[in-house]
Amino acid sequence: MGRVYNFSAGPAVLPEEVLQEAAAEMLDYAGTGMSVMEMSHRSAAFADIIESAEADLRELVGIPDNYRVLFLQGGASQQFAAVPMNLMKNRVADYIVTGSWAKKAFKEAKIYGDARAIASSEDETFSYIPDCSDLPVSEDADYVYICENNTIYGTKFHTLPNTKGKDLVADVSSCFLSEPVDITKYGVMYGGAQKNIGPAGVVISIVRDDLVRDDVLECTPTMLKWKTQADANSLYNTPPAYGIYICGKVFKWLKAQGGLDAMKERNVEKAALLYDYLDESALFRGTVRKEDRSLMNVPFVTGNADLDAEFVAEAKKVGLENLKGHRSVGGMRASIYNAMPKAGVEALVAFMKEFERTHA
């Protein structure tokens, strides 16, 4: 079988052009006679790789000079602890709980201080984003936390919460670089690369300068201090070198596609193909309130678990891979990140129509 349409939520589809470039450079990167996998992270060749990656990311997002870009390890899940460790000066933080990952981050923050859930959508299985225009933000909160795009449940904050002057911290793992963003509205933005940027093993944290500091919680390990990483330009220890190299290639690919404005236009078009069909289908239905739908992760069900399983199995036979929903919710989920071509979504919708015709 050739290349499939990979709808995995992460590790996820990468641009074919990037994979082809990496394949061509596997044995000899830029005349060094070695693979990026083999080279020293202290070498001039790798310095160029990581510096170019940061410069391209800054250009794509429009990251101002007073924000630090950190290429880290441990995934978004490790940042669940790093956030309170680095920011909880008052030992108080407010969390908006809109899915499994926000819930896990909230639970982790409770270890280090008084984490408060000031809004949640768990009452309706995280199928919507709560109204965040006038929340009971704690006067002494060190920050307000969100997971901006909920990979499992398919919801997205299309309007950022009113934090009433408190710093906003956002896990953007599954929507990072899918559309333009004003980074100045965030104190901290971070995301695991394996969904929309690169291979597993890299997490990118963008932290405003004044939040990169020495006065962190005493229990904070040296490796989890953002200042440790910032002072060393993400090279305090051996970084996830090959992953950063691939991320850098994806950044160049995004620039060549026209940047984040172009990606949003493309992503809106792709998502509309699938959502429009779901809205008219008699067999399938989406599970998210329309105004809160994600452009990246689209969960749907038939209402019959056996039929869902049959759909996933039959789709796999025709090269539509990884459509099974997260184990915690079942059903199906199509993750349609930047690198998923429109043709992939068209193939999925065509298969869904045929499946509906034969199972009506």
Side-chain angles (χ1 to χ4, degrees), residues 329-341:
V329 294
M332 284 75 70
R333 172 180 53 178
S335 293
I336 50 177
Y337 299 124
N338 286 342
M340 173 58 67

Side-chain angles (χ1 to χ4, degrees), residues 9 101 147 149-155 174 195 297 333 335 337:
W101 303 116
C147 180
N149 187 88
N150 295 285
T151 322
I152 293 174
Y153 296 95
T155 58
S174 51
K195 298 176 184 297
N297 310 100
R333 172 180 53 178
S335 293
Y337 299 124

Side-chain angles (χ1 to χ4, degrees), residues 4-7 270 273-274 319-320 323 334 336 339-351:
V4 299
Y5 288 123
N6 176 15
F7 294 95
K270 287 188 301 185
L273 286 171
L274 185 47
L320 303 173
L323 283 164
I336 50 177
M340 173 58 67
K342 181 181 176 183
V345 182
E346 290 173 335
L348 172 60
V349 171
F351 177 76

